Amino acid sequence: MPATSPAPLIVGFDLDMTLLDTRPGIHATYRALSAETGTHIDADLVVTRLGPPLLDEIRNWFPEAEVERAVNRYRELYRDHAFAPTVPLPGARAAVEAVRAHGGRVAVITGKYEPNARLHLEHAGLEADTVIGDLWAETKGEALRANGASIYVGDHLGDIVGARHAEAVAVAVATGPYGADELRAAGADVVLADLTRFPEWLDRHLAG
């Protein structure tokens, strides 16, 4: 029988609080939305629970009849307020480069509005082969599976759900709203303090 080629390495990454510290920009955007609409929004609270869909968060502050308009306006304001203060988290660039050093491809699978996710990556100077937005938990898993990802890196419990749904290795980083113990208890296969340890882990993982 002819030898079969191994499956290509495809690593999925979450965006907010995994690759990028988006808290300052999200905080500024919610403050702008609050000022424009006259609706009280506790931006300090919002940035402690990033991860779930924007729609879920907006529903905490606006009546249902106003939610869709508020979501659309938030996404517009985001472009004016969120990119400049956002920076890559420690190890983000090295993590992406580590995947490429192994001949792999990088897929950013995020809950963020996809056009804004692409602009974020461009502004931060991080290049992904695939960017898919507006996904959460199991739907992240569907995208991971469709793209052949064998590893998914995220900071949220929903990211672990997504990795499990795709039967991918769930690598959790404790740079978001959950600590290492919570991430481990939720079923993460690997828990790292941040992405600075990811290249070393990837080398060991691929070496078997």
Side-chain angles (χ1 to χ4, degrees):
M1 295 179 62
T4 57
S5 299
L9 173 65
I10 299 172
V11 179
F13 289 90
D14 175 47
L15 186 67
D16 294 305
M17 302 313 300
T18 298
L19 288 173
L20 301 179
D21 185 352
T22 52
R23 290 172 298 185
I26 290 172
H27 189 281
T29 304
Y30 273 108
R31 284 179 59 86
L33 181 64
S34 177
E36 183 178 290
T37 62
T39 299
H40 169 70
I41 301 173
D42 187 343
D44 292 337
L45 174 61
V46 169
V47 296
T48 67
R49 56 190 188 195
L50 302 182
L54 172 63
L55 190 66
D56 292 357
E57 185 60 58
I58 289 290
R59 282 194 169 115
N60 291 321
W61 310 105
F62 291 86
E64 192 62 34
E66 298 176 19
V67 164
E68 183 177 357
R69 183 168 57 181
V71 165
N72 291 337
R73 186 56 181 149
Y74 173 92
R75 288 170 171 168
E76 292 169 353
L77 290 168
Y78 197 90
R79 299 187 179 201
D80 296 326
H81 296 276
F83 299 142
T86 293
V87 295
L89 282 160
R93 296 187 194 281
V96 169
E97 290 167 2
V99 176
R100 301 204 189 285
H102 285 283
R105 295 170 62 85
V106 172
V108 172
I109 311 295
T110 175
K112 190 174 294 298
Y113 180 54
E114 188 173 310
N116 285 349
R118 291 180 181 277
L119 289 170
H120 250 316
L121 291 167
E122 181 181 337
H123 187 274
L126 294 175
E127 184 177 350
D129 300 286
T130 302
V131 180
I132 306 175
D134 298 297
L135 300 177
W136 173 242
E138 290 85 357
T139 58
K140 284 189 172 186
E142 293 167 11
L144 290 165
R145 187 186 297 275
N147 282 273
S150 58
I151 300 167
Y152 186 53
V153 187
D155 66 284
H156 201 282
L157 305 189
D159 298 327
I160 298 171
V161 171
R164 289 286 180 220
H165 191 74
E167 298 182 343
V169 177
V171 178
V173 287
T175 47
Y178 296 98
D181 291 342
E182 293 170 292
L183 294 166
R184 201 171 288 113
D189 297 302
V190 179
V191 178
L192 306 174
D194 56 36
L195 286 175
T196 60
R197 301 299 299 273
F198 179 79
E200 177 187 350
W201 172 82
L202 185 64
D203 288 345
R204 293 199 311 269
H205 175 72
L206 295 177

